[in-house]
Amino acid sequence: MPVYQATVSAPVNIACIKYWGKRDTKLILPTNSSLSVTLDQDHLRSTTTSRADPSFEKDRLWLNGKEEVIAHGGRMATCISELKRLRREVEENNAAEPKLSAFAVHISSLNNFPTAAGLASSASGFAALVASLAALYQLPASPSTLSLIARQGSGSACRSLFGGYVAWQEGTAPDGSDSLAVEVAPREHWPSLHALICVVSDDKKGTSSTSGMQRTVETSPLLQHRIKHVVPERMRIISDAIRARDFDTFARVTMQDSNQFHAVALDTDPPIFYMNDVSRTIIAIITEYNRVSVAAGGKLKAAYTYDAGPNAVIYAPEENLKEIVELIVNYFPQPAPFKDPFGLFGSAGVGEGKLVEGFNAAVAKKFPVGSVKNLIHTRVGDGPRKLDDAEALLGPDGQPKSLA
Amino acid sequence: MPVYQATVSAPVNIACIKYWGKRDTKLILPTNSSLSVTLDQDHLRSTTTSRADPSFEKDRLWLNGKEEVIAHGGRMATCISELKRLRREVEENNAAEPKLSAFAVHISSLNNFPTAAGLASSASGFAALVASLAALYQLPASPSTLSLIARQGSGSACRSLFGGYVAWQEGTAPDGSDSLAVEVAPREHWPSLHALICVVSDDKKGTSSTSGMQRTVETSPLLQHRIKHVVPERMRIISDAIRARDFDTFARVTMQDSNQFHAVALDTDPPIFYMNDVSRTIIAIITEYNRVSVAAGGKLKAAYTYDAGPNAVIYAPEENLKEIVELIVNYFPQPAPFKDPFGLFGSAGVGEGKLVEGFNAAVAKKFPVGSVKNLIHTRVGDGPRKLDDAEALLGPDGQPKSLA
């Protein structure tokens, strides 16, 4: 009896035009389109092995080695049953195909970044779940078709089915059949875009994005204006900027949209805050860094963006990363020199902070060590990767392999 | 030769519906109407003496004992010349009136609260300037007429010409002749409204409101929606709430509008932040305090509002002030027991913090002493007061009296 299994890794994505609000909470249909950059799986990824076997009694799933309940009618169950349905179509069209859709599945998933990093793992996690089952079932489905299913696991997961620059089109169909992800440009089109993630300490528990976004839909008078009049234009502008590799426009729209997302969160009743004083300080640093460049006749050199938490993601062309890390380290000293995976900073890394010429040091005060507790340097990346069985996360017994 | 002088004190006001944006920066015409509560001059006031004398060589003004330049064409010069123009009308109508409009004036003004308190003194200051010159000139002008002039000194100053609950009607005339303050209700209508000002430490220099609001007008896509669709309705709702002494509605709209003002500041490019982590924590405390009340079938018990800085102003019915001070002191310990001017807390004042029953202590962490560096307890107050010559701030020599 052959072993039917597939292992896939899937990337994290960070939005430039933000998803905030559902028009259908069950199907996870958004109130507006969004656009993201897929980050490199060499650095941040979820890896998932799915196996179908007639000996399995029921569908089971382990996340980071710990079994999760697959709640009936819940998001994981929806994704699994949708993929089994597509498998059945394959089997119905070709009687020679093994009847995998009738078997239960065991699924083991692992994030290579700690939950404590404060990075949303639901996007990469659901993308890896969907892509691994699609590989197991050998579905003839495009990434956009799979994105329809991943979207029902976690909205932003649909964008992690592609590498590069990805739009989630809101769609208009009530059944969600046109609310899917499409590629705006592949990674190879504009590979020099790097990202620096500043992991920020936070004392307080934030509002979950699932409940927060619906409170905004229900109470913010400004959200409707954003949805109808602001986002459609920004989607056009930033898509054109990506196609033209126009970082200046990309950066401007990215920062404006991050700020507007946090503005509608604040316009919610009661208000929602995700950024704290450290987040605000990173904005002040990047604003001043860009001001110096523009004042000298140049263009924007970096763009910050914040999701539903205090962490900053700074997008910038590769050649600016050293200056940016030096600026961040100047205000947020690190316990050890920061070395990036690309070797951009030499073997010693960046130890001491440094300001660029003309930078007004008074835009921020220096924070104690630990205020930015971690830096992660990555770049635009590719879409889900099919991995060898050697990297499978399930052992011969159908249980997760030891994490040790 | 008689001495022609008048001394007036004028109050601070704190808006519930915020003024943010000018449609005419010279005449100071706002993009939307606003509404405020006038605070009690027994606690916070600007006092101004104006004197006209044929021996004075030119108009001069001292603020807190320090002479300020009256710039040609500037805001102070505009106010003074407008009032001289009204005086000339009086003189033209009655030949017996002394020709004070031909004399230069000396003006001395004093705030009884330190600039370091972080309270905007321009509203009370320009209201006192205008009211003292109007008294000196014995103008037959109504407070609304004087508000037209004060508005040209500092927009929100127009609202300090009235006590109680005051609307600044945006108006439509290009010359600003209908952009003035009107009384929504006098203090006596609803005298039990108290205010607790939490003076918050801030490391960073904020964006001035004058430049900040115009950046918002120029760059925020959300501001136009606020101006056209949100504020007009809120003005109606809160005016009705004041007339009905309906604190629940007053509180809800006040908090929503404070949050929306800060939302459009954040939607500005580059973004403007006035609230910091301490401000956010006070919002979390008041939100939880209200949640507990509503969960028990009650109504909102307090409303926060923030101007262009990190200080909180908390409006509440008098009977809730003790609970509110105890909550604030619980999270923001004070170096000494807090005693209020009304004796609400007994002779010992509030030393230890205390939570109301059912309050979730985890909504905030405790801050070190000094994070809220001062508390000021006041209430709704009256309009400008004419004072005796014994309280004049100019000596017989026409110079400011010593501040000692």
Side-chain angles (χ1 to χ4, degrees):
Chain A
M1 172 97 190
V3 173
Y4 297 107
Q5 77 173 15
T7 300
V8 165
S9 69
V12 167
N13 73 77
I14 300 288
C16 298
I17 305 294
K18 300 295 188 191
Y19 156 52
W20 194 250
K22 298 181 181 74
R23 64 177 200 274
D24 183 315
T25 54
K26 172 67 187 154
L27 291 171
I28 310 192
L29 303 179
T31 53
N32 57 261
S33 297
S34 54
L35 186 144
S36 58
V37 176
T38 295
L39 300 185
D40 195 331
Q41 284 162 86
D42 286 353
H43 313 124
L44 298 168
R45 65 180 169 276
S46 294
T47 304
T48 300
T49 297
S50 294
R51 185 185 302 170
D53 195 283
S55 72
F56 293 162
E57 294 180 0
K58 60 169 189 173
D59 296 337
R60 296 176 69 183
L61 184 144
W62 293 263
L63 179 57
N64 296 326
K66 189 176 162 296
E67 185 162 8
E68 302 275 314
V69 175
I70 301 178
H72 182 72
R75 293 174 171 197
M76 283 187 294
T78 299
C79 289
I80 294 167
S81 77
E82 281 290 294
L83 289 154
K84 284 186 178 173
R85 185 179 58 74
L86 293 181
R87 172 65 191 178
R88 263 196 308 280
E89 289 179 10
V90 168
E91 294 163 4
E92 285 161 7
N93 289 335
N94 183 351
E97 288 283 346
K99 301 293 179 287
L100 302 187
S101 67
F103 303 162
V105 289
H106 281 191
I107 301 165
S108 178
S109 190
L110 193 63
N111 302 320
N112 80 328
F113 48 94
T115 306
L119 294 165
S121 55
S122 61
S124 55
F126 274 102
L129 170 72
V130 168
S132 74
L133 283 165
L136 164 66
Y137 292 153
Q138 303 198 302
L139 300 180
S142 70
S144 283
T145 300
L146 295 180
S147 80
L148 290 165
I149 299 172
R151 187 202 75 221
Q152 297 174 66
S154 173
S156 57
C158 74
R159 296 186 309 241
S160 278
L161 268 304
F162 287 95
Y165 304 84
V166 188
W168 175 9
Q169 297 173 338
E170 59 187 306
T172 55
D175 68 353
S177 55
D178 58 354
S179 185
L180 45 69
V182 298
E183 184 187 87
V184 175
R187 164 196 203 166
E188 295 71 30
H189 170 73
W190 192 12
S192 60
L193 189 78
H194 278 227
L196 181 73
I197 304 171
C198 304
V199 181
V200 173
S201 295
D202 203 17
D203 318 300
K204 68 180 251 302
K205 182 87 190 84
T207 307
S208 85
S209 58
T210 299
S211 68
M213 66 172 70
Q214 286 321 99
R215 214 162 83 208
T216 301
V217 169
E218 288 156 16
T219 65
S220 166
L222 299 180
L223 180 68
Q224 296 305 318
H225 185 77
R226 162 172 171 74
I227 290 167
K228 286 191 202 122
H229 300 290
V230 180
V231 171
E233 189 187 358
R234 287 186 178 165
M235 286 294 292
R236 280 192 296 277
I237 293 172
I238 200 167
S239 298
D240 288 347
I242 289 165
R243 285 187 277 262
R245 298 182 200 91
D246 169 3
F247 182 75
D248 190 69
T249 302
F250 172 89
R252 182 172 49 77
V253 175
T254 293
M255 292 187 282
Q256 286 173 342
D257 208 68
S258 174
N259 292 328
Q260 187 167 92
F261 151 48
H262 292 277
V264 298
L266 176 46
D267 190 46
T268 301
D269 188 17
I272 302 168
F273 295 93
Y274 289 118
M275 296 192 287
N276 62 21
D277 285 353
V278 169
S279 315
R280 299 196 304 153
T281 299
I282 295 172
I283 288 181
I285 293 166
I286 298 301
T287 299
E288 175 65 8
Y289 178 54
N290 283 327
R291 187 199 63 75
V292 169
S293 174
V294 171
K299 301 203 164 190
L300 300 182
K301 294 176 82 171
Y304 55 78
T305 188
Y306 294 79
D307 280 351
N311 295 339
V313 176
I314 301 170
Y315 286 124
E318 177 176 0
E319 66 261 30
N320 300 339
L321 260 288
K322 185 157 190 283
E323 286 180 345
I324 293 165
V325 169
E326 287 170 341
L327 284 170
I328 296 296
V329 169
N330 183 74
Y331 289 98
F332 300 101
Q334 298 295 308
F338 177 69
K339 296 179 185 179
D340 77 307
F342 309 101
L344 292 182
F345 314 144
S347 58
V350 171
E352 294 294 304
K354 193 176 153 193
L355 303 182
V356 296
E357 199 178 315
F359 192 98
N360 174 11
V363 297
K365 61 157 196 163
K366 292 193 191 216
F367 279 69
V369 172
S371 302
V372 168
K373 60 185 176 188
N374 198 9
L375 295 171
I376 300 169
H377 181 172
T378 183
R379 63 180 169 188
V380 58
D382 55 351
R385 298 176 187 168
K386 177 106 176 56
L387 305 181
D388 290 342
D389 271 349
E391 302 189 60
L393 301 173
L394 289 167
D397 57 355
Q399 300 288 312
K401 287 183 184 168
S402 163
L403 293 177
Chain B
M1 170 96 190
V3 173
Y4 297 107
Q5 78 173 14
T7 300
V8 165
S9 69
V12 167
N13 73 79
I14 300 287
C16 297
I17 305 295
K18 300 295 189 189
Y19 155 51
W20 195 251
K22 298 180 181 75
R23 64 179 201 271
D24 183 315
T25 54
K26 173 66 186 156
L27 290 171
I28 310 193
L29 302 178
T31 54
N32 58 262
S33 297
S34 54
L35 186 144
S36 57
V37 176
T38 295
L39 301 184
D40 195 331
Q41 286 163 83
D42 286 353
H43 313 125
L44 299 167
R45 64 181 169 274
S46 295
T47 304
T48 300
T49 298
S50 293
R51 184 185 302 169
D53 194 285
S55 73
F56 293 163
E57 293 181 358
K58 60 169 188 173
D59 295 338
R60 296 175 70 181
L61 183 144
W62 292 264
L63 178 56
N64 296 327
K66 189 174 163 296
E67 185 162 9
E68 302 276 313
V69 175
I70 301 178
H72 182 73
R75 293 174 171 198
M76 285 187 291
T78 299
C79 289
I80 295 168
S81 76
E82 282 290 293
L83 289 155
K84 284 186 176 173
R85 184 178 60 74
L86 293 182
R87 173 64 192 177
R88 263 196 308 279
E89 290 179 9
V90 168
E91 295 163 4
E92 285 162 6
N93 289 335
N94 182 351
E97 288 283 346
K99 300 293 178 290
L100 302 187
S101 69
F103 303 163
V105 289
H106 281 193
I107 301 164
S108 179
S109 190
L110 193 63
N111 301 319
N112 81 328
F113 48 93
T115 306
L119 294 165
S121 55
S122 60
S124 54
F126 273 102
L129 170 72
V130 168
S132 73
L133 282 165
L136 164 66
Y137 292 153
Q138 302 196 302
L139 300 181
S142 70
S144 283
T145 300
L146 295 181
S147 81
L148 289 165
I149 299 172
R151 188 202 75 220
Q152 297 175 65
S154 172
S156 57
C158 74
R159 297 186 308 242
S160 278
L161 268 304
F162 286 94
Y165 303 84
V166 188
W168 174 9
Q169 297 174 338
E170 59 188 305
T172 55
D175 68 353
S177 56
D178 58 355
S179 185
L180 44 70
V182 298
E183 183 187 87
V184 174
R187 165 196 204 168
E188 296 70 30
H189 170 73
W190 192 11
S192 60
L193 189 78
H194 278 228
L196 181 72
I197 304 172
C198 305
V199 181
V200 173
S201 295
D202 202 19
D203 318 299
K204 68 181 253 300
K205 182 89 190 82
T207 306
S208 85
S209 57
T210 300
S211 68
M213 67 172 70
Q214 286 322 100
R215 214 161 83 208
T216 302
V217 170
E218 288 156 16
T219 65
S220 166
L222 299 181
L223 180 68
Q224 295 306 317
H225 185 78
R226 163 172 170 74
I227 291 168
K228 285 191 202 122
H229 300 290
V230 180
V231 171
E233 190 187 355
R234 286 186 179 166
M235 286 294 291
R236 278 191 298 276
I237 293 171
I238 200 168
S239 298
D240 288 348
I242 289 166
R243 285 187 278 262
R245 298 183 200 89
D246 168 3
F247 182 76
D248 190 71
T249 302
F250 173 89
R252 182 172 49 76
V253 175
T254 293
M255 292 187 282
Q256 287 173 341
D257 208 69
S258 174
N259 291 328
Q260 187 167 92
F261 151 48
H262 292 279
V264 298
L266 176 46
D267 190 48
T268 301
D269 188 17
I272 302 168
F273 295 93
Y274 288 118
M275 295 191 287
N276 62 22
D277 285 352
V278 170
S279 316
R280 298 196 305 153
T281 299
I282 295 172
I283 287 180
I285 294 166
I286 298 300
T287 299
E288 175 65 6
Y289 178 54
N290 283 326
R291 187 198 64 74
V292 169
S293 174
V294 171
K299 302 203 163 191
L300 300 182
K301 293 177 83 171
Y304 55 78
T305 187
Y306 294 79
D307 280 350
N311 295 339
V313 175
I314 302 171
Y315 285 124
E318 178 176 0
E319 67 262 29
N320 300 340
L321 260 288
K322 186 157 189 279
E323 285 180 347
I324 293 166
V325 169
E326 286 170 344
L327 284 170
I328 296 295
V329 168
N330 183 73
Y331 289 98
F332 300 101
Q334 298 295 307
F338 176 67
K339 298 179 184 177
D340 77 307
F342 308 102
L344 291 182
F345 313 145
S347 58
V350 172
E352 292 296 303
K354 192 177 154 192
L355 303 182
V356 295
E357 200 178 315
F359 193 98
N360 174 12
V363 297
K365 60 156 196 164
K366 293 194 192 217
F367 279 70
V369 172
S371 302
V372 167
K373 60 184 176 189
N374 199 9
L375 295 171
I376 300 168
H377 180 172
T378 181
R379 62 179 169 189
V380 58
D382 55 350
R385 298 176 186 167
K386 177 104 174 60
L387 305 181
D388 289 342
D389 271 351
E391 301 189 62
L393 301 173
L394 288 167
D397 57 355
Q399 301 287 313
K401 287 183 185 168
S402 164
L403 294 177

